[in-house]
Amino acid sequence: MDKIYFEKSYLENVQVEIGNMDYGMDIDGILGFDFISNSNLVIDTRKMMVYGNNEGDLK
């Protein structure tokens, strides 16, 4: 994929896999740890929210 955007930032040339997912619940997709760590995302498990880290490596 050329770019993946998160808030106002993006990563370029990201490998994605597309397939049929049935985990017994409604989900739109899964973010892999490679993407999360390269994006320097912050995950708040109590609020079930993901935030962009403004000091990260994203453009």
Side-chain angles (χ1 to χ4, degrees), residues 30-47:
I30 297 173
L31 296 177
F33 188 74
D34 289 354
F35 177 78
I36 293 168
S37 63
N38 288 331
S39 304
N40 293 316
L41 299 180
V42 176
I43 302 172
D44 185 332
T45 57
R46 290 185 183 185
K47 294 181 181 178

Side-chain angles (χ1 to χ4, degrees), residues 43-59:
I43 302 172
D44 185 332
T45 57
R46 290 185 183 185
K47 294 181 181 178
M48 298 298 289
M49 296 291 296
V50 178
Y51 304 96
N53 182 350
N54 292 335
E55 298 174 9
D57 293 334
L58 291 180
K59 296 178 180 180

Side-chain angles (χ1 to χ4, degrees), residues 3-47:
K3 292 181 185 175
I4 292 183
Y5 288 86
F6 186 85
E7 295 179 347
K8 296 180 181 177
S9 302
Y10 64 90
L11 284 176
E12 293 181 297
N13 301 316
V14 177
Q15 180 179 348
V16 298
E17 291 190 31
I18 299 172
N20 189 14
M21 300 179 296
D22 184 7
Y23 296 105
M25 65 184 96
D26 290 333
I27 60 173
D28 293 324
I30 297 173
L31 296 177
F33 188 74
D34 289 354
F35 177 78
I36 293 168
S37 63
N38 288 331
S39 304
N40 293 316
L41 299 180
V42 176
I43 302 172
D44 185 332
T45 57
R46 290 185 183 185
K47 294 181 181 178

